Amino acid sequence: MLSHLKSRLARRLAMFAAMIAVLCTFAALAAAQDQPAPKWELYGGYSYFYPHAEIHGLLPGALQPLSSRLESNPRGAGASVTYDFNRWFGLTLDTSAHWGSGEGGLGNRIDDAALSTLSFGPKFTLVRSKHFSPFLEVLVGDHRLMPDAFYDVDKLGFMLGGGLDINLSRHVALRLIRADYVASNYRYAPFPASATDIGGVRLQTGLNFMFGGGEPPPPPTAACSIQPAEVFAGEPVTATATGSNFTPKRTVKYTWNGTGVKVAGTDASAQVDTTESQPGDYVVTANLSDGRKNGSASCSARFTVKQPRPPVISCSADPASVRIGASSTIHSNGSSPDGRRLIYSYSASSGDIAGSGDSATLNTQGAQPGRITVTCNANDDRVPPLTASSTTMVEVQAPPPPPPPPTPAPEIKRLEAKLALHSIYFQTARPTEEHPEGGLLDSQADTLKALAEDYKNYLKYMPDAHLILGGHADPRGTPEYNKKLTERRVERTKAFLVEHGVPADHFELKAFGEEDQLTAEQIKEQMADNPDLSPQERQKMMRNLTLLVLANNRRVDVTLSTTGQQSVRRYPFNARDFLTLISPKGIEKKPVKKSPVKKKP
């Protein structure tokens, strides 16, 4: 019997814990509701009790207990008071009383019992809406069972249940139903199987009165906006009103008006006419009403009619100077500070101009030499338009004089043949850093003088021609030394030609150093092809071939840019200073660091 009682108690405790978890879950969900809650709730009403139990009791002098299933008790009333901490959680003090049947005789009274309770516990209101409020509750307290045939017993009891309140007003609600599971345990006999376990239901209905707490519904409000906030006169403006806290079942009416402007609209948006509006600030007002007392709100929005600004424009000519009869393109760069579309037009003090958009063409056919003034205009798309202008000048030049008669081709060919230049040769290590102006032998200077005269005559017919000077050195020096040496040789050759009338800007200089060397075989071939050499001279050159190869690589070659023809190489043996060029005597010594020594080129 004891184990059976413990088992039933364990099941009820487990059910109680599960219900608490469910209530907490519903309470968390209910926290999302926004309806205000009262501070105090006072309930009173009818109560019905169904015990769902058998009573086992031992009468005085009896040896065996009597047993009977307890009947339901419709004779009862209940009341409770609740303090709400917030909109979903409160604490309830509850009491109910169910009185006896008042019947006579043991047979009639054995199945009747009265019950009174005084309990305390949490109440969870799941939802607080305008129309209903469902709730759950867990109550613990004193349960007094009063059987008609036995004595009264007080025990600790539990109630777990809930109900539904129908809100009649902000302060009164009809508790349509309240249902609680009632659990308590009693004993009226000493036998193990004589326990009376109440596991029934208590049903109630009545009125719930609510006090304090929630604020009254907020008054209606309205918010206005206007787009765009800045316009020019004549541009459309749209005003919008948004209402809050109006009764959902009522239709909100909108009334619009403005100061200094016409406003048309009967719903949440209206159109503002700015056609005749002067620059300045304007206010549009909306009045909203749902027809109830205190069911109206108003709002305003401000916009600005801006002062119009004219466009700006700049004007340019390309080219700014033309011959009579030629054309110039006129470019306009315009913009509107107000973002308006621009229309361009053009006029000219002379000549003919035509075009649209941001460019036009000025034709100077028939114009006189001098300046032509071109005017560029930009009008915006307003009515009437705002205008901007800018001017530019085009210089008209007189036609050039007729060109001289063309130079006969044979003369140009003759000069080009003469400008198939001789290479210019230098002694070893000449010119030096100390005397860059020296190093040019008389025979080489004579060659350059003849070159300068022929080239100046050639420029009369070919003014864009120029000379390419390429310097070389023999391999008897370091690459760095040879590079600087050939730069001095090229500069010396250029300086001599400039001294003799060749324009200084008609040269292209190249310093090759010891690159592009002539070989002994190439020199032998040149000697064999040279008709100016006698057999004795050829024999003498062959005996000095090694020195001759070195001398031929100490040169500056000249190229005429218009033909690209290389200089015709004439070697030192046909010059009066041949022995000087090939002789190693008299060579200046250059200080070098400790390294494999090379002879100077």
Side-chain angles (χ1 to χ4, degrees), residues 56 107-108 185 233 240 248 318 353 388 412 420 431 444-445 470 472 525 533 546 561 573:
H56 305 280
N108 294 328
N185 179 267
T240 304
D318 183 23
I353 189 167
I412 295 176
Q444 309 305 308
H472 299 268
E525 183 179 348
L533 296 177
T546 299
S561 66
F573 49 78

Side-chain angles (χ1 to χ4, degrees), residues 15-31 88-89 121-126 134-139 159-163 180:
M15 182 182 297
F16 176 75
M19 291 301 294
I20 292 296
V22 171
L23 289 173
C24 291
T25 302
F26 278 110
L29 295 174
W88 59 271
F89 177 74
K123 176 189 175 185
F124 300 91
T125 302
L126 304 182
F135 63 89
L136 296 175
E137 59 187 0
V138 180
L139 303 173
M159 283 191 286
L160 176 65
D180 295 297

Side-chain angles (χ1 to χ4, degrees), residues 213-525:
E215 297 295 332
T221 60
C224 288
S225 63
I226 199 163
Q227 289 293 333
E230 294 184 344
V231 296
F232 293 101
E235 294 181 341
V237 174
T238 300
T240 304
T242 303
S244 302
N245 304 324
F246 287 93
T247 302
K249 293 184 178 181
R250 290 178 174 267
T251 300
V252 178
K253 295 183 179 180
Y254 297 80
T255 304
W256 292 91
N257 58 77
T259 57
V261 291
K262 298 178 181 179
V263 185
T266 58
D267 54 13
S269 63
Q271 298 300 314
V272 183
D273 184 4
T274 64
T275 303
E276 299 179 358
S277 301
Q278 296 299 316
D281 294 336
Y282 295 86
V283 177
V284 175
T285 301
N287 297 301
L288 287 70
S289 176
D290 61 6
R292 296 180 299 118
K293 182 181 180 181
N294 300 324
S296 62
S298 62
C299 61
S300 299
R302 185 182 299 271
F303 72 95
T304 301
V305 175
K306 299 184 292 185
Q307 179 72 40
R309 294 172 292 179
V312 294
I313 188 173
S314 62
C315 196
S316 63
D318 183 23
S321 178
V322 296
R323 297 285 186 183
I324 291 179
S327 297
S328 177
T329 301
I330 308 301
H331 296 282
S332 292
N333 184 13
S335 63
S336 170
D338 297 336
R340 311 295 298 203
R341 184 174 62 88
L342 297 182
I343 302 171
Y344 297 91
S345 61
Y346 301 88
S347 62
S349 61
S350 182
D352 295 322
I353 189 167
S356 60
D358 57 1
S359 65
T361 300
L362 173 66
N363 188 341
T364 63
Q365 188 69 38
Q368 296 299 318
R371 289 186 174 183
I372 295 178
T373 301
V374 178
T375 303
C376 306
N377 304 300
N379 300 336
D380 62 21
D381 56 358
R382 293 183 176 92
V383 180
L386 298 181
T387 302
S389 299
S390 179
T391 60
T392 186
M393 298 293 180
V394 177
E395 186 75 27
V396 179
Q397 300 176 356
T407 302
E411 177 65 15
I412 295 176
K413 293 296 183 182
R414 184 186 69 81
L415 290 172
E416 287 179 348
K418 293 184 68 176
L419 290 171
L421 304 177
H422 292 280
S423 295
I424 306 303
Y425 299 90
F426 288 84
Q427 290 178 290
T428 299
R430 298 294 197 281
T432 64
E433 292 183 5
E434 294 78 6
H435 300 287
E437 75 285 356
L440 192 63
L441 300 180
D442 292 342
S443 62
Q444 309 305 308
D446 292 341
T447 301
L448 290 178
K449 290 177 184 178
L451 164 65
E453 292 303 318
D454 291 335
Y455 181 65
K456 287 187 290 184
N457 290 330
Y458 186 71
L459 288 179
K460 297 176 183 178
Y461 310 110
M462 304 294 286
D464 295 330
H466 62 275
L467 298 176
I468 303 172
L469 306 183
H472 299 268
D474 66 43
R476 297 177 299 157
T478 64
E480 294 79 5
Y481 177 80
N482 285 338
K483 185 72 173 178
K484 293 181 180 179
L485 178 59
T486 53
E487 290 175 354
R488 292 196 298 273
R489 287 171 177 170
V490 169
E491 290 292 344
R492 180 66 184 103
T493 303
K494 174 186 174 182
F496 187 89
L497 291 171
V498 170
E499 290 171 4
H500 288 78
V502 176
D505 59 349
H506 279 55
F507 291 94
E508 180 181 348
L509 307 183
K510 298 180 181 180
F512 296 103
E514 60 186 61
E515 298 176 10
D516 194 18
Q517 296 285 310
L518 293 175
T519 65
E521 294 300 324
Q522 289 176 307
I523 293 176
K524 289 180 182 180
E525 183 179 348

Side-chain angles (χ1 to χ4, degrees), residues 426-428 441 554 572 576-585:
F426 288 84
Q427 290 178 290
T428 299
L441 300 180
R554 297 191 300 270
R576 62 180 180 269
D577 50 6
F578 165 69
L579 292 178
T580 304
L581 288 173
I582 66 171
S583 174
K585 296 180 179 180

